[in-house]
Amino acid sequence: MFKDSEKTSNIEPAHDEPLDPGRPFHNIAMTSRRGFLTRAIGTGGGMVALSAGGLAVGSAAWAAESATAKDAPSLPDAVSWKDEDAFIVHGLNPITMETRRAAFGTSTLVPDTRLYIRNNLPVPDPTIVANRDAWQVSFEGVKKPKTLTLEELKKIGLHTVSTVLQCSGNGRGFFPHGASGSQWTVGAAGAVVWSGVRVRDVIESLGGPTSGMKFLTSTGGEELPAALERNTVVVERSIPLEKAMDDAILAWEMNGAPLELAHGGPLRLVVPGYYGCNNIKYVARVAFTAEESKASMQQTSYRIRPIGVSGAPDQPTMWEMNVKSWVNHPTADKEIAPGKVLLDGVAFSGMDPVEKVEVSVDGGKTWQQAEFIGPNLGRYAWRQFMFTAELGKGTHTIASRATDASGDTQPKARVENERGYGNNSWQDHAIEITVG
Amino acid sequence: MFKDSEKTSNIEPAHDEPLDPGRPFHNIAMTSRRGFLTRAIGTGGGMVALSAGGLAVGSAAWAAESATAKDAPSLPDAVSWKDEDAFIVHGLNPITMETRRAAFGTSTLVPDTRLYIRNNLPVPDPTIVANRDAWQVSFEGVKKPKTLTLEELKKIGLHTVSTVLQCSGNGRGFFPHGASGSQWTVGAAGAVVWSGVRVRDVIESLGGPTSGMKFLTSTGGEELPAALERNTVVVERSIPLEKAMDDAILAWEMNGAPLELAHGGPLRLVVPGYYGCNNIKYVARVAFTAEESKASMQQTSYRIRPIGVSGAPDQPTMWEMNVKSWVNHPTADKEIAPGKVLLDGVAFSGMDPVEKVEVSVDGGKTWQQAEFIGPNLGRYAWRQFMFTAELGKGTHTIASRATDASGDTQPKARVENERGYGNNSWQDHAIEITVG
């Protein structure tokens, strides 16, 4: 489920949750889709102010300028095209939006209008998608280092793959110890289809990795505030070299349209089967390295660690996802009549496809096999399943439990950990519905 | 490719093209997404005026009230959420929009923001999607006739399937005789995923079809103008009973979101492998019948007939689609350097999956096999293919030719016919690109 990595240093984590008041980046200038609106959010002075378009220095306490009930900020421009009703908004600073459980459909893919958003830094200026083909990526740690434009990358190859994008902290909201970060339930995940070029094909055109390299270290192209030390804020992650060469891609398209800015356009590294944080948005540097990145995001954030313990590089990092499923419908807020009740949900794993989903309508005492529905988009996609239950009047606890091709089955209990990562407990994801 | 049907009558066709000036329905009241704007279009008096919301009687000559260059009508409200740049707009009255060849991606599915639109009648009032679950469908020609709400249908079953939606006239623009109707090139088609309930499951819950029934006749719920004879304007199609029971569904979801009003929401009949016209939007009546519908749309429209001959029920009707493919990229309007050039396109058939695509870069003299890319969404979806060509300076004619599992191969020449239906000629779909 998680893999160890070498110990290199011990820096406090600065990522994997929205940047709150009391942390860097807690002032924001925002344009709502209903008109221009400046809103400054913070608890103290001397902080860095952000706009959707970049970084600027400012200082403010909680204040809402020109804001009235009528033109209260709705979704920021970068995500104004999303279906607002489909989301639980955890924060707009940076944008942190979870798909409501009831808003998941049954058609395998999640459309971009309903896909969760979790950015470590504010969304860059839209000018970077004005001429997508001009986007540049430097390739390092290869025999022929080179900077290539997106236009050049498109000529090297084409590969299309469906993956589940999932935040490491999806399910954090079920941890009882109050893990810090967004209190995601199930909706920081979604299956999508990507098109791009295989990292392998690009790297082979550059002579392959130089010898001694063990990791692919990728860096986001977000502008960083000069006042802060690079490694504390940069979006940078390392993954094993073999994984990168096996099936990572540099993607410019998602679900049949050019990749939206908010989701990492014009170019994003996609690492099938790995947690979201490894899928670097606005990827500007792709480097083979002998060691993992020195960025906090790699060294100490995204580490599975006991409650109360600081993040450190000898702890398991959030690479491969674990086997997981949950029921989406019916939802607890709908009236349900006694009799035949149709349940549906999603199931997936990391490196292996799911092979079986079982459903329990008695809180895990007994289990019955569910049926997969819809097209199978491959090992890294999720499957949707359905199950017909006979339910009498009363309250029923509905759970699902997936098993993947390697034989891993979703456990009953979560693995307790400080940051609330990797929750695949079937018990935590169970729902209670009342019939009658 | 096409199937014959019984001769019943001989009425002039009234469908399968936008309603032009000089025909019924040629006045329109429209709200642009840039503000309210009324625009009346027509050539003579006494015509029926339409709004996005329904039907009203009016009379007007060509006129544009309050229209300035600045607030000229953009897309009507019903499709204002679409990516306008991805389309060739053939008409807004009713809405007729073709996906640009260059706007097709390589990720298998076409997102709803880029999917073509072709409605026989104006889009109904949005109130019909305000409470989707309340939509009613009457089931007739069954042992226990009944009207069911969408909420009730959702309890009967759940089925998810990917299909290619394609207008019968897709490719009409390549016919040299000037076939009347929208001059579609390739973009009146798209692969999507539907979720709904199998017609079979609903019909079985109603005791099955009554004896002697041969067709499923479905009717759209659009409001009809009282001044016109029902059968000349109603959207109603018949398909063989066996096909309906095999795999037709009543769909409420497309691509993971509730079906958009413009695409037939809250409920649409989906007939996998059949041309678009059989996929009845706003489906309000589903009836097993002994004969085909008496509507013009069934009797005389959507018939393959020699040039100059009127439509008649003894001519083949537009049911099963034929095997087809085309290259989407590169597009002729982009500069292409000599050397390795990546081509991509789409391929599909009607009742059988495509098994092979060949590409020619010399106008059909020689052919080489292309490679399928991306997930396979099943027999009714389309596959995307890619091919790497070595191209020198000069002009090259690029063609693709698909073969399906039944052994049918795309022909070189189109089948000439009055309305320009069913064009799958590889020659017509070839593109010329200049390398230099």
Side-chain angles (χ1 to χ4, degrees):
Chain A
M1 164 178 172
F2 304 108
K3 287 189 172 169
D4 281 4
S5 59
E6 308 162 53
K7 178 165 179 127
T8 44
S9 79
N10 199 332
I11 303 167
E12 266 304 298
H15 289 280
D16 73 14
E17 60 178 286
L19 294 151
D20 307 326
R23 307 190 64 142
F25 292 112
H26 61 238
N27 297 325
I28 188 166
M30 186 165 64
T31 305
S32 90
R33 64 175 167 182
R34 291 174 199 164
F36 191 80
L37 177 73
T38 299
R39 191 183 182 199
I41 300 170
T43 52
M47 295 303 167
V48 177
L50 304 180
S51 75
L55 305 173
V57 175
S59 157
W62 284 94
E65 299 166 26
S66 343
T68 66
K70 197 182 159 213
D71 64 357
S74 183
L75 297 179
D77 281 355
V79 290
S80 62
W81 46 273
K82 284 192 178 269
D83 180 354
E84 193 167 357
D85 297 339
F87 292 97
I88 300 161
V89 178
H90 291 286
L92 292 174
N93 169 27
I95 300 160
T96 307
M97 296 164 65
E98 166 173 8
T99 311
R100 289 183 190 279
R101 197 163 185 153
F104 283 111
T106 53
S107 304
T108 313
L109 291 174
V110 177
D112 58 2
T113 47
R114 291 176 172 237
L115 182 65
Y116 84 104
I117 284 264
R118 167 69 185 97
N119 286 359
N120 283 290
L121 290 173
V123 174
D125 193 276
T127 53
I128 69 169
V129 287
N131 181 3
R132 291 169 177 266
D133 280 354
W135 182 257
Q136 295 189 323
V137 190
S138 73
F139 291 87
E140 302 169 22
V142 291
K143 298 203 176 98
K144 296 181 274 180
K146 196 171 178 183
T147 294
L148 295 172
T149 62
L150 177 47
E151 185 172 16
E152 291 167 322
L153 287 171
K154 285 179 177 172
K155 290 175 181 164
I156 295 174
L158 178 62
H159 187 67
T160 298
V161 63
S162 179
T163 76
V164 175
L165 202 60
Q166 182 186 214
C167 187
S168 305
N170 197 28
R172 178 184 288 135
F174 302 126
F175 281 80
H177 73 283
S180 72
S182 300
Q183 298 301 301
W184 309 113
T185 58
V186 298
V192 294
V193 184
W194 307 95
S195 283
V197 59
R198 279 191 172 100
V199 166
R200 175 174 74 223
D201 292 341
V202 180
I203 297 308
E204 283 171 0
S205 79
L206 301 175
T210 53
S211 69
M213 300 297 111
K214 291 184 182 163
F215 300 95
L216 181 77
T217 297
S218 303
T219 314
E222 295 96 339
E223 213 178 317
L224 302 179
L228 297 172
E229 207 273 302
R230 173 189 184 276
N231 280 342
T232 63
V233 289
V234 69
V235 174
E236 187 169 279
R237 287 282 295 172
S238 302
I239 60 169
L241 180 144
E242 298 71 28
K243 173 64 184 173
M245 293 294 274
D246 273 356
D247 56 12
I249 71 168
L250 292 161
W252 50 77
E253 183 183 305
M254 189 181 82
N255 288 355
L259 183 55
E260 285 282 356
L261 179 68
H263 286 296
L267 194 69
R268 184 170 187 174
L269 178 73
V270 171
V271 188
Y274 273 38
Y275 283 102
C277 58
N278 303 288
N279 297 259
I280 303 293
K281 300 183 182 84
Y282 327 110
V283 61
R285 178 175 166 264
V286 170
F288 286 99
T289 55
E291 295 189 341
E292 290 183 43
S293 162
K294 293 289 182 281
S296 305
M297 191 170 167
Q298 183 70 24
Q299 291 287 314
T300 54
S301 295
Y302 297 105
R303 298 282 173 179
I304 291 277
R305 48 187 159 113
I307 294 170
V309 171
S310 292
D314 61 348
Q315 299 152 351
T317 191
M318 300 308 287
W319 282 341
E320 295 173 24
M321 297 193 289
N322 52 26
V323 63
K324 188 165 178 176
S325 73
W326 62 82
V327 169
N328 284 321
H329 305 100
T331 45
D333 58 343
K334 270 216 161 183
E335 271 183 45
I336 303 162
K340 206 177 81 166
V341 177
L342 271 186
L343 313 170
D344 70 74
V346 294
F348 60 102
S349 189
M351 301 305 292
D352 297 288
V354 283
E355 282 199 337
K356 184 176 74 171
V357 175
E358 297 157 292
V359 167
S360 171
V361 296
D362 55 12
K365 288 189 199 81
T366 60
W367 297 88
Q368 286 173 273
Q369 196 157 333
E371 178 191 344
F372 287 125
I373 54 168
N376 180 349
L377 276 63
R379 65 191 280 212
Y380 295 120
W382 69 21
R383 295 300 309 265
Q384 299 214 235
F385 63 85
M386 64 171 282
F387 180 79
T388 306
E390 259 319 313
L391 298 179
K393 280 192 184 184
T395 298
H396 305 266
T397 301
I398 313 287
S400 67
R401 186 172 72 177
T403 300
D404 70 19
S406 75
D408 280 352
T409 295
Q410 236 178 304
K412 180 176 184 181
R414 79 190 83 84
V415 174
E416 301 293 350
N417 70 92
E418 173 64 23
R419 295 305 315 282
Y421 288 140
N423 191 351
N424 67 341
S425 147
W426 62 251
Q427 192 171 49
D428 282 358
H429 291 79
I431 52 171
E432 274 203 350
I433 60 173
T434 301
V435 172
Chain B
M1 166 179 170
F2 305 108
K3 287 190 175 170
D4 281 4
S5 60
E6 307 164 56
K7 178 165 178 127
T8 44
S9 79
N10 199 333
I11 303 167
E12 265 304 295
H15 290 281
D16 71 15
E17 61 179 285
L19 294 151
D20 308 326
R23 305 189 66 139
F25 292 112
H26 60 235
N27 298 324
I28 188 166
M30 186 166 64
T31 304
S32 91
R33 63 177 168 181
R34 292 173 198 163
F36 190 78
L37 176 74
T38 299
R39 192 184 182 199
I41 299 171
T43 52
M47 295 303 166
V48 176
L50 304 179
S51 74
L55 306 172
V57 175
S59 156
W62 285 93
E65 299 167 24
S66 345
T68 67
K70 199 180 158 215
D71 65 357
S74 185
L75 298 179
D77 281 356
V79 289
S80 63
W81 47 272
K82 284 192 177 268
D83 180 354
E84 192 167 358
D85 296 339
F87 293 97
I88 300 161
V89 178
H90 291 286
L92 292 174
N93 169 27
I95 300 159
T96 307
M97 296 163 66
E98 166 173 9
T99 311
R100 289 182 190 280
R101 198 161 183 157
F104 282 112
T106 53
S107 304
T108 313
L109 291 174
V110 176
D112 58 2
T113 48
R114 292 177 170 236
L115 182 65
Y116 85 102
I117 285 263
R118 168 71 184 97
N119 286 0
N120 283 290
L121 290 174
V123 174
D125 194 276
T127 52
I128 69 168
V129 287
N131 181 3
R132 291 168 177 267
D133 280 353
W135 182 257
Q136 295 188 324
V137 190
S138 73
F139 291 87
E140 303 169 20
V142 292
K143 296 202 177 99
K144 295 181 273 179
K146 196 171 178 184
T147 294
L148 295 172
T149 64
L150 177 47
E151 185 173 16
E152 290 167 324
L153 287 172
K154 285 179 177 172
K155 291 177 182 163
I156 294 174
L158 178 62
H159 186 67
T160 298
V161 63
S162 178
T163 75
V164 176
L165 203 61
Q166 181 186 217
C167 187
S168 305
N170 197 27
R172 178 184 289 138
F174 302 126
F175 281 80
H177 74 282
S180 74
S182 300
Q183 298 301 301
W184 309 112
T185 59
V186 299
V192 294
V193 184
W194 307 96
S195 284
V197 60
R198 280 191 173 98
V199 166
R200 174 174 74 223
D201 292 342
V202 180
I203 298 308
E204 283 172 359
S205 80
L206 301 175
T210 51
S211 69
M213 299 297 112
K214 290 184 184 164
F215 300 96
L216 181 76
T217 297
S218 303
T219 314
E222 295 96 339
E223 211 179 318
L224 301 180
L228 297 173
E229 207 273 303
R230 174 190 184 275
N231 280 342
T232 64
V233 288
V234 69
V235 174
E236 187 168 277
R237 288 281 294 171
S238 300
I239 59 170
L241 180 147
E242 298 71 27
K243 172 66 185 173
M245 293 295 274
D246 272 356
D247 55 14
I249 71 168
L250 291 162
W252 50 77
E253 183 182 305
M254 189 182 81
N255 289 353
L259 182 56
E260 286 281 356
L261 179 67
H263 286 295
L267 193 68
R268 184 170 187 173
L269 178 73
V270 171
V271 187
Y274 273 38
Y275 284 101
C277 57
N278 302 290
N279 296 259
I280 302 294
K281 300 183 183 84
Y282 328 111
V283 62
R285 177 176 167 262
V286 170
F288 285 99
T289 53
E291 296 190 343
E292 291 185 41
S293 163
K294 293 288 181 277
S296 305
M297 191 172 169
Q298 183 71 22
Q299 291 288 314
T300 54
S301 296
Y302 297 105
R303 297 280 171 180
I304 292 276
R305 48 183 158 118
I307 294 171
V309 171
S310 292
D314 62 348
Q315 300 152 350
T317 191
M318 301 307 288
W319 282 341
E320 296 173 23
M321 297 192 290
N322 51 26
V323 62
K324 188 166 180 177
S325 73
W326 63 82
V327 169
N328 283 321
H329 305 99
T331 45
D333 59 342
K334 268 216 162 183
E335 271 182 44
I336 304 162
K340 207 177 82 166
V341 177
L342 273 185
L343 313 170
D344 70 74
V346 294
F348 60 101
S349 190
M351 300 305 292
D352 297 288
V354 283
E355 281 199 338
K356 184 175 74 168
V357 175
E358 297 157 291
V359 167
S360 171
V361 296
D362 55 11
K365 288 189 199 83
T366 60
W367 296 89
Q368 287 173 272
Q369 196 159 333
E371 180 190 343
F372 287 125
I373 55 169
N376 181 348
L377 275 63
R379 65 190 282 212
Y380 295 120
W382 69 22
R383 293 301 307 267
Q384 299 213 236
F385 63 86
M386 63 172 283
F387 181 79
T388 306
E390 255 326 308
L391 298 179
K393 281 192 184 182
T395 298
H396 304 267
T397 301
I398 314 286
S400 67
R401 186 172 71 177
T403 300
D404 71 18
S406 76
D408 281 351
T409 295
Q410 235 179 305
K412 180 176 184 181
R414 79 190 83 83
V415 175
E416 302 293 350
N417 69 92
E418 173 65 24
R419 295 305 315 283
Y421 288 139
N423 191 350
N424 67 341
S425 148
W426 61 252
Q427 192 170 48
D428 282 358
H429 291 78
I431 51 170
E432 273 203 353
I433 60 171
T434 300
V435 173

